[in-house]
Amino acid sequence: MSRILIVEDEAIIRTALRRLLERHDYRVSEAGSVDEALALDPKNFDLVISDLRLPGEPGTALIASVAPVPVLIMTSYASMRSAVDALKEGAVDYVAKPFDHDELLETVSRVLHQHSSQRSPPPDITDAGGSRQQMIGECHAMQAVYTRIRKTAPADVTVLIQGESGTGKELVARAIHQQSKRAAAALISVNCAAIPETLIESELFGHEKGAFTGASAARTGLVEAADGGTLFLDEIGELPLDAQARLLRVLQEGEIRRIGSVETRHVNVRLIAATHRDLRALSKTGEFRLDLYYRLNVMQIDLPPLRDREEDVLTIADVLLEKACRRHERNGLRLSRAARQEIRDYPWPGNVRELENALERGVILAEGHLIHPDDLGLHPARPASSRLPLEPMPRTVDPVESEQDENGDDLSLEDYFQHFVLEHQDQMSETELAQKLGISRKCLWERRQRLGIPRKKQARRSSA
């Protein structure tokens, strides 16, 4: 559904035009002046219809401010001079007041069609299961993403994708690979946060038999497995420093050396990296190599969070709802009007992944044919200090001392986690911390992100 902004100082004309457009399934907002229009962020609309004569600045002042959104000028001074002047300033067309309803609707439809045809189409993707899907979203931020994917994919350069968790970084990586010259080769995806720190070098670069305890056979690393294709490293900000040094050599020289080997192997790999962290800031604290950051950041793609894609939220929700209904064999379920309003208003800190989970929850819990707000289970996000961890925290190390602070007050489970990590992270590796806490290394990383506890990495000599 296209969004149209009407800028008209006469309330009667503005209301009549809004009702006409809404009867033809357009979403309409109103403003009485250029300043009021700019306050509504007009770049998020598909079309601006503005009167030429307005209080303060004329309607043509919007043309440059809202570009590339088209501006259709209305004027009650239907002289050829005013029309030509508006077109010269960049207006897409003009209509004369009093306007004919059919003529106006035809003009609006034509302008919207022309504008949409100039947009970059969402790329088609084959997902991990082999089925075809298309990236969803028509907002300007996603249009910029589609354009960057289209231009970057054939160039065979390293790409850095930045965006919050759940925004679809792996989908973008898959789209780049499938539109590249390497589409026929493999795409190897690795989550750097999900592999134990002690094993990540072996996973990425391989090892020889006997290279370390437990290495009973030689193993090919994932970088070598991606030879000729694409390697996608998700959450690259969690890569240990010694593995960063090895990766830098892959990018600089196209060479790898398995752990325990003296033989150098040449690989031809395109690297796509993704992170939700600021790698430049991490390089200043010594947690990420600056030279590697420069090697990675040849081309950067920034993914917008879902809260900045207001006009896409319900479209995405409808697509995800249909998939969830098929999975759970509940065809015919729809979102109630209140549920749609709740989805539109919710800030979505977990982005598209959180939206997908909420809709799946709604499909499972819904009674009848409508999903209501209670079925979605959405609640305002609470501060990190008040949230409970996802699973109980075992008290395996000094529980008596760790459960009480200096004043003798009981600590919450998250306070206990934070206290333990900060006290022991200088003496323990991430793997050891996770083992002592009785959780996985990935769970430890996720809780660090949620509580804002910085991870201290210690530089070690590279074995590359």
Side-chain angles (χ1 to χ4, degrees):
M1 186 183 297
S2 299
R3 298 187 66 200
I4 298 176
L5 174 61
I6 301 171
V7 189
E8 167 63 68
D9 58 320
E10 293 188 34
I12 296 176
I13 297 177
R14 190 171 67 232
T15 301
L17 183 54
R18 175 176 59 80
R19 289 175 177 171
L20 172 66
L21 293 171
E22 286 179 341
R23 284 200 302 271
H24 289 79
D25 296 326
Y26 295 111
R27 292 174 56 192
V28 182
S29 298
E30 302 176 30
S33 67
V34 170
D35 288 341
E36 289 180 17
L38 293 176
L40 295 175
D41 196 5
K43 286 194 174 184
N44 284 329
F45 290 84
D46 299 294
L47 173 65
V48 175
I49 303 176
S50 176
D51 191 15
L52 180 62
R53 302 290 182 94
L54 293 169
E57 295 183 276
T60 49
L62 287 166
I63 295 172
S65 301
V66 305
V69 178
V71 177
L72 179 64
I73 292 293
M74 299 183 294
T75 176
S76 54
Y77 307 90
S79 68
M80 204 57 169
R81 183 186 190 90
S82 62
V84 170
D85 288 344
L87 294 174
K88 283 182 177 179
E89 293 189 50
V92 67
D93 207 337
Y94 83 100
V95 291
K97 296 189 293 185
F99 41 77
D100 177 84
H101 286 187
D102 291 337
E103 182 181 350
L104 174 68
L105 291 170
E106 183 181 348
T107 302
V108 168
S109 176
R110 173 174 50 80
V111 170
L112 287 171
H113 177 73
Q114 290 175 345
H115 182 60
S116 62
S117 65
Q118 295 170 358
R119 295 181 170 189
S120 295
D124 288 326
I125 305 166
T126 301
D127 61 23
S131 60
R132 300 286 295 179
Q133 66 179 88
Q134 190 178 65
M135 294 183 71
I136 309 167
E138 294 293 335
C139 69
H140 293 290
M142 288 306 295
Q143 286 294 316
V145 171
Y146 302 153
T147 300
R148 188 60 64 95
I149 290 173
R150 177 174 54 82
K151 292 182 177 180
T152 301
D156 207 37
V157 295
T158 303
V159 182
L160 178 62
I161 305 169
Q162 293 196 298
E164 295 179 7
S165 179
T167 49
K169 296 188 286 293
E170 185 167 355
L171 278 180
V172 173
R174 195 172 293 278
I176 292 172
H177 170 72
Q178 293 178 1
Q179 294 186 25
S180 72
K181 301 172 184 176
R182 300 172 182 261
L187 169 66
I188 305 293
S189 299
V190 184
N191 188 327
C192 298
I195 303 175
E197 189 172 356
T198 54
L199 296 179
I200 197 162
E201 286 188 76
S202 172
E203 287 288 321
L204 289 177
F205 306 104
H207 61 258
E208 296 294 343
K209 181 179 179 180
F212 50 83
T213 303
S216 57
R219 176 170 180 166
T220 300
L222 295 173
V223 175
E224 192 173 349
D227 189 18
T230 304
L231 177 67
F232 172 54
L233 295 182
D234 197 6
E235 298 301 348
I236 197 169
E238 306 308 312
L239 199 64
L241 287 169
D242 43 2
Q244 292 179 29
R246 284 180 174 270
L247 183 61
L248 182 63
R249 185 162 186 83
V250 173
L251 295 176
Q252 288 178 332
E253 309 295 338
E255 295 178 349
I256 62 166
R257 192 168 68 235
R258 293 181 180 179
I259 297 174
S261 174
V262 295
E263 178 186 352
T264 297
R265 301 168 185 263
H266 289 273
V267 291
N268 177 16
V269 173
R270 181 184 193 174
L271 181 66
I272 301 175
T275 182
H276 73 285
R277 307 182 71 184
D278 185 342
L279 298 185
R280 183 184 286 274
L282 292 178
S283 69
K284 293 179 181 178
T285 61
E287 297 179 77
F288 200 85
R289 294 182 63 118
L290 186 60
D291 49 1
L292 178 57
Y293 169 71
Y294 288 134
R295 283 283 178 177
L296 291 174
N297 196 26
V298 178
M299 188 65 69
Q300 182 172 316
I301 297 178
D302 295 309
L303 283 178
L306 190 56
R307 61 182 171 274
D308 291 344
R309 301 174 57 190
E310 181 182 352
E311 59 267 47
D312 289 341
V313 171
L314 290 178
T315 303
I316 297 171
D318 289 338
V319 174
L320 295 178
L321 176 60
E322 184 180 351
K323 291 181 179 179
C325 288
R326 285 201 301 267
R327 279 196 301 273
H328 297 283
E329 298 181 350
R330 296 206 59 184
N331 295 329
L333 271 180
R334 295 183 294 109
L335 291 165
S336 69
R337 182 177 300 179
R340 295 180 76 83
Q341 186 65 43
E342 178 124 341
I343 288 172
R344 187 185 295 114
D345 294 341
Y346 187 71
W348 299 112
N351 294 295
V352 178
R353 185 179 296 125
E354 184 183 9
L355 173 59
E356 184 174 20
N357 292 340
L359 290 167
E360 186 135 20
R361 188 160 52 240
V363 169
I364 294 170
L365 297 178
E367 301 283 348
H369 297 290
L370 287 178
I371 297 174
H372 298 285
D374 289 346
D375 301 323
L376 298 173
L378 299 178
H379 303 284
R382 291 176 290 168
S385 59
S386 67
R387 294 184 212 145
L388 291 175
L390 296 177
E391 53 189 79
M393 185 65 61
R395 307 175 187 276
T396 57
V397 179
D398 299 330
V400 176
E401 295 179 12
S402 299
E403 285 176 6
Q404 295 185 348
D405 61 16
E406 295 177 355
N407 298 322
D409 296 326
D410 289 342
L411 292 175
S412 70
L413 292 175
E414 291 207 344
D415 290 334
Y416 169 73
F417 174 86
Q418 188 166 2
H419 177 79
F420 180 83
V421 171
L422 290 174
E423 183 177 353
H424 296 94
Q425 66 179 355
D426 290 336
Q427 294 81 35
M428 295 183 183
S429 68
E430 292 294 286
T431 301
E432 290 170 332
L433 279 173
Q435 289 173 346
K436 290 292 185 182
L437 291 167
I439 59 178
S440 68
R441 185 169 172 264
K442 182 181 180 183
C443 186
L444 172 62
W445 170 78
E446 289 174 343
R447 289 181 180 172
R448 277 188 181 277
Q449 306 310 308
R450 192 168 68 244
L451 296 175
I453 305 174
R455 172 182 174 183
K456 294 186 178 179
K457 296 182 181 177
Q458 309 219 350
R460 290 175 282 179
R461 288 186 306 172
S462 170
S463 57

